[in-house]
């Protein structure tokens, strides 16, 4: 740890989603490096270990007052943030996903005693800008919170540029990419394949929360188009309900070749037992799923959207195809399935790139440096 240790409050969505996963991993790494980390959210983030030194969790209680048609989260969150900041003398409130976390943090800072205000660091993850930033009911509040944050980061250059374009943000936004640290292997490739009942045939893996932007329809379409003349399986690690898509798989006649596991919190063993990743999103600021595969030596076929080309080097660590192009995606997938040596070489290169650019060792010190800069020179407010 370089010099100073920080007391950091982290707020994120605790449910399945890239921003919460990244925030949890960051908290774990910061605690490992000697910082004191306080998670503040309505639930304990799902990938956070049950108990770990220097990691604390502060739940936000939400009351459902009859008077309100919709329960409010932003105000109780800001009050809890201010309380934790005061009681634990936090240096930094680091919020992941701007809505409503950045607004709550700005309010918490305003409620803190003069001279004891925590710095606010906001990390943008994607739809907080690309979806909500376009919404007239949110845009001005997001812009305000970003302008008043002491530091703002985005997980890709594409997301930084989109944020500037959509929200006309004039302050600097630093690009700090995502990272992924795999947990130690639990079960072997053979054990996992045995559980999945896939024998030795090539296995294509998809990991996501199945939201509409992930285009699961396109995933199944790509899979179905690549199948003729080949024997392989699709494994979907679903952070959401797969039932609406099971019908489509049945209609396409591929249901018996699709294996689904829902709510797998530790994806590593499943991904490591796979041969190719497949991601067909319409939009991704980064795509943590691709990185999880890369770290485990698995190359991906993906749509070339948003920040994905910053993660995947087309032809070296994976293959890219235009969004919505099931034919192109299926051709790319087929070419990797038909060429195991190329697939393996890409996996090696993917792992090397992940280690160099997207490992905790490469990324976490950048957050530490940012905390040091932000606390040394907070923005005047
Ligand atoms: O994947 C999602 O839909 C969740 C969303 C989030 O904010 O939780 O993911 C975004 O953040 C991830 C972590 O930085 C990125 O890897 C995803 O690309 C991004 N999703 C989109 O931009 C659609």
């Amino acid at each position: 740890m370089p010099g100073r240790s920080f007391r950091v409050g982290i707020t994120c969505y605790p449910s399945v989603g890239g921003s919460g996963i990244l925030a949890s991993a960051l908290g774990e790494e910061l605690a490992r490096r000697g910082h004191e980390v306080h998670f503040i959210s309505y639930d304990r983030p799902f990938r956070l270990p049950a108990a770990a030194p220097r990691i604390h969790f502060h739940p936000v209680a939400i009351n459902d007052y009859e008077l309100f048609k919709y329960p409010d989260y932003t105000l109780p969150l800001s009050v809890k943030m201010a309380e934790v900041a005061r009681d634990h003398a936090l240096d930094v409130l680091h919020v992941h996903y701007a809505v409503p976390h950045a607004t709550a943090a700005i309010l918490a800072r305003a409620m803190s005693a003069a001279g004891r205000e925590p710095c606010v660091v906001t990390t943008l993850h994607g739809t907080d800008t690309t979806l909500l930033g376009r919404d007239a009911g949110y845009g001005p509040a997001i812009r305000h919170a970003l302008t008043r944050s002491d530091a703002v980061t985005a997980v890709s250059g594409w997301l930084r540029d989109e944020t500037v374009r959509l929200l006309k943000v004039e302050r600097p936004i630093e690009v700090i990419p995502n990272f992924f640290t795999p947990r130690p292997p639990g079960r072997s490739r053979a054990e996992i394949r045995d559980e999945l009942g896939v024998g030795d045939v090539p296995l294509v893996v998809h990991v996501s929360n199945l939201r509409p932007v992930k285009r699961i329809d396109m995933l199944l379409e790509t899979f179905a188009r690549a199948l003729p003349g080949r024997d392989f399986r699709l494994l979907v690690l679903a952070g959401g309900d797969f039932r609406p898509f099971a019908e489509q798989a049945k209609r396409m006649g591929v249901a018996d070749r699709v294996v689904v596991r829902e709510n797998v919190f530790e994806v590593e063993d499943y991904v490591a037992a796979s041969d190719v990743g497949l991601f067909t999103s319409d939009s991704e600021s980064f795509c943590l799923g691709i990185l999880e595969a890369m770290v485990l030596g698995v190359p991906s076929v993906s749509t070339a959207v948003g920040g994905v080309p910053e993660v995947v080097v087309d032809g070296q660590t994976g293959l890219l195809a235009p969004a919505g192009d099931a034919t192109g995606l299926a051709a790319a997938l087929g070419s990797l399935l038909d060429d195991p040596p190329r697939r393996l070489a890409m996996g090696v290169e993917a792992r090397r790139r992940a280690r160099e650019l997207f490992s905790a060792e490469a990324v976490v010190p950048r957050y530490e440096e940012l905390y040091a800069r932000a606390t040394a020179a907070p923005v005047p407010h």
Side-chain angles (χ1 to χ4, degrees):
M1 187 182 62
R4 177 166 172 200
S5 108
F6 292 99
R7 291 176 296 270
V8 185
I10 293 184
T11 288
C12 63
Y13 284 110
S15 53
V16 182
S19 57
I21 292 171
L22 191 278
S24 306
L26 177 61
E28 265 192 88
E29 290 291 342
L30 288 170
R32 201 169 291 148
R33 294 164 75 92
H35 305 286
E36 208 61 45
V37 181
H38 297 261
F39 280 87
I40 307 161
S41 189
Y42 59 83
D43 264 335
R44 192 179 175 89
F46 79 102
R47 276 206 195 168
L48 206 59
R54 293 181 292 282
I55 292 186
H56 315 272
F57 171 60
H58 307 270
V60 179
I62 308 162
N63 282 319
D64 194 358
Y65 289 110
E66 240 176 80
L67 187 68
F68 297 162
K69 185 166 176 195
Y70 306 105
D72 169 55
Y73 178 51
T74 311
L75 289 181
L77 173 62
S78 66
V79 168
K80 181 56 84 177
M81 281 172 153
E83 191 183 297
V84 176
R86 180 197 62 213
D87 294 349
H88 298 276
L90 296 186
D91 302 299
V92 176
L93 279 172
H94 188 171
V95 297
H96 292 262
Y97 204 89
V99 182
H101 306 145
T103 302
I106 299 298
L107 194 50
R109 187 182 63 191
M111 284 189 275
S112 302
R116 304 196 48 197
E117 300 101 330
C119 277
V120 173
V121 175
T122 299
T123 291
L124 298 167
H125 281 273
T127 45
D128 41 4
T129 294
T130 57
L131 181 68
L132 298 170
R134 293 172 196 269
D135 185 328
Y138 282 94
I142 300 171
R143 185 174 191 278
H144 174 264
L146 297 186
T147 306
R148 298 296 170 88
S149 294
D150 295 286
V152 177
T153 77
V155 299
S156 62
W158 176 84
L159 182 59
R160 176 201 53 206
D161 296 347
E162 275 298 282
T163 305
V164 170
R165 189 177 71 80
L166 286 168
L167 289 165
K168 314 268 177 294
V169 174
E170 279 158 14
R171 56 149 321 123
I173 298 177
E174 192 160 330
V175 176
I176 302 187
N178 287 328
F179 66 91
F180 176 63
T181 309
R183 305 215 183 267
R187 288 185 292 162
S188 70
R189 184 179 169 95
E191 283 171 313
I192 291 285
R193 283 173 164 264
D194 209 33
E195 180 220 300
L196 298 174
V198 297
D200 276 338
V201 301
L203 188 59
V204 175
V205 67
H206 174 84
V207 190
S208 84
N209 49 32
L210 310 186
R211 288 190 194 130
V213 73
K214 304 292 175 183
R215 293 296 305 271
I216 303 305
D217 60 326
M218 183 63 53
L219 182 87
L220 293 173
E221 180 72 35
T222 302
F223 175 65
R225 286 191 191 205
L227 260 178
R230 299 187 180 95
D231 186 18
F232 64 101
R233 301 285 187 278
L234 173 65
L235 168 64
V236 179
L237 298 177
D241 184 1
F242 189 76
R243 277 172 302 180
F245 307 105
E247 196 47 45
Q248 185 190 350
K250 212 186 278 173
R251 271 199 317 276
M252 294 172 126
V254 299
D256 60 334
R257 285 159 193 253
V258 179
V259 187
V260 180
R261 290 289 179 272
E262 284 179 2
N263 300 318
V264 176
F265 292 156
E266 297 188 357
V267 297
E268 288 87 337
D269 290 345
Y270 288 100
V271 175
S274 305
D275 301 292
V276 184
L278 181 59
F279 300 89
T280 52
S281 303
D282 272 346
S283 176
E284 286 290 350
S285 63
F286 187 94
C287 194
L288 216 43
I290 295 180
L291 177 58
E292 289 171 340
M294 286 170 73
V295 167
L296 294 159
V298 176
S300 290
V301 169
S302 170
T303 43
V305 292
V308 170
E310 297 171 48
V311 180
V312 175
V313 181
D314 191 20
Q316 282 179 37
T317 68
L319 294 176
L320 300 179
D325 178 7
T327 308
L329 285 158
L333 180 62
S335 74
L336 281 192
L337 289 167
D338 295 345
D339 191 347
R342 184 173 180 228
R343 203 165 74 207
L344 289 175
M346 273 192 183
V348 169
E349 193 52 28
R351 195 198 296 258
R352 193 201 58 71
R353 180 172 170 80
R355 195 175 300 137
E356 185 182 311
L357 297 176
F358 310 124
S359 61
E361 294 70 31
V363 173
V364 177
R366 296 188 55 192
Y367 280 116
E368 292 175 314
E369 285 157 22
L370 186 73
Y371 295 163
R373 269 184 278 133
T375 51
V379 293
H381 41 264

